[in-house]
Amino acid sequence: MNDAKEADVLEHLSYMDLALAEAEKAFAKDEVPVGAIIIHNGLVIGRGFNQREYLQSPVAHAEIIAIAEASKRLGTWRLLDAVLYVTMEPCAICAGALVLARIKTVIFAIPDPKGGACGTVFDIVREPRLNHSLEVIGGIREEESRALIQKFFREKRKRQKEKKKSDKVI
């Protein structure tokens, strides 16, 4: 591997660690643990983690929250040359927002086999009929992200099972 390629990989790993830290915040709040950050000129300009339950909003996804923060910080909705790091492949809503925001690249950890819109189920971000397309890189910190999601759903199922047991006792 050449030095430039190795530097890119190390940079991606480092930034994905920040997205994972956001996902941990979601996990701590009993939200599906997805986290996102947006980088522009080497700086974090937006952060977000899933908050659908807390905000009771179907669009309170990590990516949408990060895009809103980044747009506010830059004072524009056009996030040209920005890179989104997210722990799970964006869904259709988020992929559409990435196109509309003119994000340059999306880098995700794990694919979403039920709703991924960056190549797995749909490929909205590379749809040639749209006015913008993104570069897509997947698989960065995949193991860590997958472990966090699996832990979340395993614990959620366990709590639901215990609740059903306690409901029967009453």
Side-chain angles (χ1 to χ4, degrees), residues 7-66:
D8 284 347
V9 169
L10 292 174
E11 184 175 89
H12 292 332
L13 293 171
S14 176
Y15 286 137
M16 192 60 79
D17 285 343
L18 298 176
L20 274 162
E22 292 298 310
E24 290 281 356
K25 291 177 187 177
F27 184 92
K29 294 183 179 296
D30 201 28
E31 296 275 357
V32 175
V34 176
I37 63 160
I38 297 177
I39 304 297
H40 185 261
N41 293 332
L43 298 173
V44 177
I45 60 168
R47 296 176 185 271
F49 59 89
N50 276 357
Q51 297 182 54
R52 290 188 309 174
E53 297 301 326
Y54 175 71
L55 295 174
Q56 287 299 295
S57 171
V59 295
H61 294 200
E63 301 94 325
I64 301 295
I65 293 166

Side-chain angles (χ1 to χ4, degrees), residues 38-40 45 67 71 74 76-84 94-106 125 130-135:
I38 297 177
I39 304 297
H40 185 261
I45 60 168
I67 289 168
S71 295
L74 291 184
T76 181
W77 59 268
R78 290 180 185 89
L79 302 178
L80 303 170
D81 297 320
V83 178
L84 174 92
C94 295
L98 295 173
V99 170
L100 293 173
R102 311 298 197 270
I103 297 279
K104 178 182 177 184
T105 305
V106 59
V125 298
L130 297 177
N131 64 339
H132 178 75
S133 65
L134 285 72
E135 175 185 18

Side-chain angles (χ1 to χ4, degrees), residues 97-125:
L98 295 173
V99 170
L100 293 173
R102 311 298 197 270
I103 297 279
K104 178 182 177 184
T105 305
V106 59
I107 299 172
F108 64 85
I110 58 176
D112 182 354
K114 294 184 179 182
C118 295
T120 300
V121 177
F122 307 105
D123 202 357
I124 292 170
V125 298

